[in-house]
Every structure is written in structure tokens, then in C-alpha cells.
Amino acid sequence: MLLLKLLCLAALGQCELPSPTNVTIISLNLEHVLKWDPGPGSPTGTQYRVEYLHFHKNWSPVKMCLKITSPGECDLTEEFRDIFKSYVARVQAFTELEQSTWSKSSFFQPISNTILGPPEVTVSGCGDCLHLQVKPPKGKRMDHFLAYYESEYICEVLSATDGRKFTLRISGQRVIEYLKPATEYCVTVKMYIGINQHAILSNPHCVFTSLPHLNKVPVVLGLFCLVFLLSVMVWGFLFYGYILRSL
């Protein structure tokens, strides 16, 4: 077998391994991972190296991904630091004596192609309103993203009673007013960036609006009047009894 490989190298300069397949960039919250599958018939011991390219630059090797064995993946988060540029990555299989042709990914722009995970959502009832607080999804690159964009969210509010719903755009926190008291509402939220269509909705957060606050003034006045009337009646009975004893 070794003799055949040496003859192949002498005749052709090199022999080609099966090229990697399904080369794809998976990105969540601006953390990017290149994934691939070994080409059909790849021999045991095959290794892989990764390079990337962006416009007006040459192919650059990814230092941490020059001798990958398994699994077939490479973290490109640090290489794709400019979230507005377009990149492409490629991967090549090799052994001591052979190498494959390069297999490329599709072009990738971090800001528009990353998947934005569901934000952190807190909802509480407040009379005929809901108090909503939203934070961006966690991720080591999300602070870099927020340096360019203010956090904005699309919020959908659904009445569990009659199925009516409405949508509004919010930032950070918001009091949603003019709702029905003592009614259950379910809220789902996702991040909003105009050029990114890959935001994921949060799970529904369902809470009841509170009962309206009771006005205590009429209650206090009513109790005062009741006590006054009872006092008058007691003093009236006592006075009437005193009159009867005096006769």
C-alpha cells in the first residue's frame, strides 16, 4: 500500500483524499463554529485544516484548526470579529502523503446570518397592566453586538381569555397599560434587528393582571358612619332605659 502511494506521488505530485462534505457555519449569538463531515471513504487518521477569507484579503489559516481529527468542527468566533464583513471558510483533509481539494462554506455575514437566541424575560401583573423587563440573550460576543445596536425587541401579547393579541416594539423594560384586570396574558419576545431574520421567540410567559386597587376612602367613611350609628343607638337605649327607671 505504501509503495502504491509513493508511486502515485511520483507520478502525479500528490494523491487526493476524499474532500470534506456538508461544510457549514453554525452561528448562535455571534459565536460561530464551522462544521463538516468526512468525505466518503476517508481513511482512519485523516486530519483537517481550516482557512478563512474576507474581502480584499488572502486566505488565512486558523491557528487552532490546523490538525483537527474529530469532531469535524472549528471555532471561528475570534476570526469573524467584524460583524459587518462577509466571510467564507474552507476545510481540507490531509494525511502524511495525501491531501484533498478544499471544500468551501457559503458566504457568511455575522450580523445578518447569526441566530439570535431568545431573550431573558420577566413579566409581572400590575393592576390593569403588565410590567415587562427584557434582557438580551447571554453570549461572550453579545456585548460587542450591543456596542453597535441598542437592544430592541418585538413583543407579542396574547389574551388567554378571548385569544386577542397585539404586537409592539420595546426596549429594555416597558409597562403595557390598558389591559383587563384579573385576566391572564401570555407574552413572547424576540430580538429585533432589521437586517437579521433569524431571531428566536422566547417561551410564553403567562401571568394575571392584578385586581384593581381598592379605594380605601369610601370604606373608611362607611366604617366611621357605622360606628357612629351604633354609638347613637347604644346611647339612645341607655337614655331610654334611664327615662323608664325615673318614672
Side-chain angles (χ1 to χ4, degrees):
M1 184 67 179
L2 178 59
L3 180 59
L4 290 175
K5 290 183 177 180
L6 291 174
L7 290 173
C8 181
L9 289 171
L12 302 176
Q14 66 178 23
C15 295
E16 288 190 357
L17 287 175
S19 299
T21 61
N22 300 323
V23 180
T24 308
I25 297 173
I26 306 298
S27 179
L28 176 64
N29 298 331
L30 294 172
E31 296 181 35
H32 324 297
V33 177
L34 181 72
K35 292 180 177 287
W36 65 88
D37 295 324
S42 297
T44 303
T46 300
Q47 299 183 76
Y48 302 88
R49 48 179 161 245
V50 176
E51 296 180 348
Y52 73 98
L53 173 75
H54 61 83
F55 291 131
H56 311 302
K57 296 288 184 178
N58 296 321
W59 287 100
S60 301
V62 181
K63 295 180 179 179
M64 301 301 294
C65 302
L66 297 180
K67 291 185 177 181
I68 300 292
T69 52
S70 62
E73 61 180 50
C74 172
D75 190 336
L76 296 176
T77 303
E78 293 303 318
E79 279 66 30
F80 294 1
R81 294 183 66 85
D82 191 326
I83 63 177
F84 298 101
K85 287 184 177 179
S86 291
Y87 300 86
V88 64
R90 67 181 185 179
V91 57
Q92 182 186 53
F94 69 94
T95 65
E96 292 182 358
L97 300 175
E98 303 170 298
Q99 63 184 20
S100 73
T101 57
W102 290 93
S103 297
K104 295 180 182 179
S105 71
S106 300
F107 277 94
F108 176 84
Q109 184 186 39
I111 187 61
S112 60
N113 295 128
T114 194
I115 296 173
L116 296 170
E120 299 179 19
V121 182
T122 303
V123 186
S124 58
C126 52
D128 60 349
C129 61
L130 296 176
H131 185 270
L132 180 63
Q133 186 169 17
V134 186
K135 296 181 181 179
K138 293 181 179 179
K140 62 183 179 182
R141 298 293 294 165
M142 288 305 294
D143 289 342
H144 183 66
F145 162 78
L146 295 173
Y148 293 96
Y149 286 94
E150 181 182 357
S151 297
E152 286 192 301
Y153 308 92
I154 298 295
C155 172
E156 184 178 274
V157 183
L158 171 69
S159 170
T161 303
D162 55 21
R164 293 183 180 180
K165 62 182 178 181
F166 59 91
T167 301
L168 65 160
R169 190 188 303 181
I170 67 170
S171 61
Q173 54 184 334
R174 174 75 177 268
V175 176
I176 304 174
E177 300 179 295
Y178 309 115
L179 303 177
K180 293 181 180 180
T183 301
E184 185 180 24
Y185 288 90
C186 295
V187 178
T188 53
V189 184
K190 67 178 179 180
M191 293 197 73
Y192 172 76
I193 306 173
I195 63 174
N196 187 300
Q197 303 299 315
H198 308 292
I200 300 175
L201 275 173
S202 69
N203 291 327
H205 294 262
C206 300
V207 296
F208 281 87
T209 51
S210 303
L211 291 172
H213 291 295
L214 185 64
N215 189 343
K216 296 181 179 180
V217 174
V219 175
V220 172
L221 290 175
L223 290 174
F224 177 80
C225 292
L226 179 61
V227 171
F228 177 77
L229 289 174
L230 289 174
S231 300
V232 170
M233 291 175 64
V234 170
W235 281 105
F237 281 121
L238 290 175
F239 181 74
Y240 181 72
Y242 174 75
I243 295 297
L244 290 178
R245 287 194 298 270
S246 300
L247 295 176

